[in-house]
């Protein structure tokens, strides 16, 4: 990704690109206390609830990392395009998986994330890649398409 100017979006991108179980403790540095977060599996409010979502992610996954591919900002809003790679702990062999997604972000007056919504297709990016279940999802998608 091209270098971003100093400011809230750059801090957020740097946070996610270096995110580890240990750095989840610093989430309040970039998220407002009452931040709203939504993705295909979660809809939570409050920095502590977002922190629990991230810790749960690290409980279930290994080698989890975000790579921000593109980012644009205007005023207090931003849009990010990213890749998330990971391995699922309980799947053997542990094959690396990738989710391609995007995020809509709104910053509050203090430059912290007040709203974060992730957009990605759970069917295509996750379910279709599962053994056995993925074949069923691909068949249903084909019949509907």
């Amino acid at each position: 990704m091209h270098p971003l100017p100093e400011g809230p979006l750059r801090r957020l991108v740097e946070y996610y690109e270096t995110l580890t179980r240990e750095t989840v403790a610093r989430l309040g540095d970039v998220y407002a206390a009452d931040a709203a977060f939504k993705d295909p599996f979660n809809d939570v409010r409050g920095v502590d609830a977002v922190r629990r979502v991230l810790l749960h992610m690290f409980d279930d996954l290994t080698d989890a990392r975000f790579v921000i591919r593109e980012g644009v900002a205007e005023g207090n809003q931003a849009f990010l395009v990213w890749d998330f790679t990971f391995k699922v702990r309980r799947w053997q062999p542990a094959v690396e998986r990738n989710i391609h997604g995007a995020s809509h972000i709104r910053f509050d007056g203090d430059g912290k994330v007040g709203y974060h919504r992730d957009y990605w297709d759970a069917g295509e990016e996750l379910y279709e890649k599962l053994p056995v279940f993925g074949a069923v999802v691909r068949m249903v998608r084909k019949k509907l398409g």
Side-chain angles (χ1 to χ4, degrees):
M1 184 176 149
H2 299 289
L4 293 167
E6 289 293 329
L9 182 58
R10 182 173 178 178
R11 281 192 306 277
L12 182 66
V13 166
E14 288 172 353
Y15 179 80
Y16 270 99
E17 287 194 327
T18 59
L19 184 65
T20 64
R21 175 177 266 295
E22 293 72 32
T23 62
V24 170
R26 295 193 340 254
L27 188 68
D29 293 349
V30 290
Y31 277 73
D34 63 344
F37 174 84
K38 185 172 183 173
D39 69 9
F41 299 113
N42 302 283
D43 188 357
V44 299
R45 186 164 201 89
V47 72
D48 289 334
V50 178
R51 188 177 290 118
R52 284 190 297 274
V53 168
L54 293 174
L55 289 172
H56 183 263
M57 175 189 76
F58 283 110
D59 288 342
D60 290 346
L61 308 176
T62 63
D63 302 325
R65 68 185 182 282
F66 288 92
V67 175
I68 310 301
R69 300 292 178 193
E70 296 179 61
V72 294
E74 185 170 323
N76 71 334
Q77 297 192 65
F79 185 79
L80 298 171
V81 177
W82 45 262
D83 287 316
F84 176 59
T85 58
F86 60 94
K87 294 177 184 171
V88 179
R89 287 186 191 280
R90 65 182 176 266
W91 294 354
Q92 295 303 319
V95 176
E96 186 170 271
R97 304 290 179 185
N98 183 61
I99 293 174
H100 183 70
S103 299
H104 177 208
I105 307 291
R106 282 192 216 123
F107 297 100
D108 68 9
D110 294 325
K112 292 187 175 186
V113 175
Y115 172 86
H116 177 159
R117 178 147 187 196
D118 284 346
Y119 296 92
W120 54 277
D121 183 341
E124 177 184 355
E125 300 289 346
L126 187 61
Y127 297 136
E128 285 186 14
K129 297 173 184 174
L130 296 173
V132 182
F133 186 68
V136 173
V137 173
R138 287 187 300 275
M139 181 183 69
V140 169
R141 186 183 292 266
K142 187 175 180 181
K143 287 193 182 281
L144 292 176

